[in-house]
Amino acid sequence: MLIFSRILALLIIFSLIRLSTKNNNKTISFLRNLYPLLFTAYFYGETGYYNNVFFNNLDNLFIQLEDSLFGFQPSLWFSFEFNNRLINELMYFSYFSYYLLVIIFPLILYFKQRSEFEKYFIIIIFSFYTYYLLFAIFPVVGPQFHFPAEQLNLTDTSFFGKIVKLIQDAGETPTGAFPSSHVGISWIIFIISLRTNKKYLKLIFALALSICISTVYIKAHYVVDVIGGIISAPLFYFLGHKIYLNYHKKQYLLIN
């Protein structure tokens, strides 16, 4: 299935390239530009196959680190102290907003700022796959998979809780906790919005901040994962930007 999925992905990619070069169809052009975002969802699920290549799960180490830093487990304490239906709904909505952010923001770039789209979309996709690589190097499953069910003390009976549960059941695997790609990608989008469109800056900042909080509340991540996501965001943005500039420099030299 791994081999077949890659053959199928290549067929889709080359078909889109061929179709888009043969005609000026807007739908084909749209799919050719945005298909990498669709692939990230599929390949995230595959990180579960590779997350113990170098080490066994490091959750016990992260739990010890959180005990040393805070004297308790924030992911267990947070929802226990503030567990009510309204806060649950708010936290699950905040977590769900990540999916809206990674879909809607590239669409805004594509339709409103096409000249900037390629550069910043490449940075976003580069960041996704760099996080996936780190998931194999630092295998951490996170509180929701590591702690026993009786310790989780969190219901998902709220409207957005049920939606998040459906998404997790469809594509979530016990992998990918450190560093938090939810947090990292959210702050990378915030950095991009600083440079492209400040109209949505306050909204994106509020969503990115709420995602940091909600990932701990719903036990998707340890606080250390969140810190890792925040620190890695500007680094990945910088590396992605450098790769993009080097690629275009080489393209320019080849043409000239």
Side-chain angles (χ1 to χ4, degrees), residues 112-197:
K112 301 294 185 181
Q113 294 175 281
R114 183 69 66 87
S115 61
E116 302 284 348
F117 169 79
E118 182 184 87
K119 174 169 65 175
Y120 292 115
F121 191 63
I122 284 173
I123 292 171
I124 291 171
I125 298 302
F126 163 80
S127 300
F128 265 112
Y129 285 105
T130 306
Y131 281 118
Y132 293 176
L133 177 63
L134 290 178
F135 295 162
I137 299 172
F138 301 105
V140 182
V141 301
Q144 64 182 334
F145 292 111
H146 185 75
F147 289 120
E150 57 270 17
Q151 287 187 266
L152 298 182
N153 187 46
L154 187 64
T155 58
D156 52 13
T157 56
S158 61
F159 174 74
F160 283 103
K162 291 178 180 178
I163 293 176
V164 169
K165 179 66 174 173
L166 285 173
I167 294 171
Q168 290 179 330
D169 287 345
E172 193 70 59
T173 55
T175 180
F178 180 82
S180 170
S181 59
H182 283 67
V183 171
I185 295 295
S186 300
W187 286 108
I188 287 167
I189 289 174
F190 173 76
I191 294 169
I192 293 171
S193 69
L194 273 171
R195 299 176 177 275
T196 57
N197 194 334

Side-chain angles (χ1 to χ4, degrees), residues 77-103:
W77 172 86
F78 195 2
S79 62
F80 180 80
E81 290 293 323
F82 297 93
N83 189 10
N84 67 62
R85 189 175 182 84
L86 180 61
I87 294 178
N88 278 1
E89 185 76 349
L90 178 62
M91 290 293 101
Y92 275 115
F93 169 75
S94 297
Y95 189 82
F96 173 75
S97 70
Y98 163 80
Y99 302 104
L100 299 178
L101 195 59
V102 297
I103 293 170

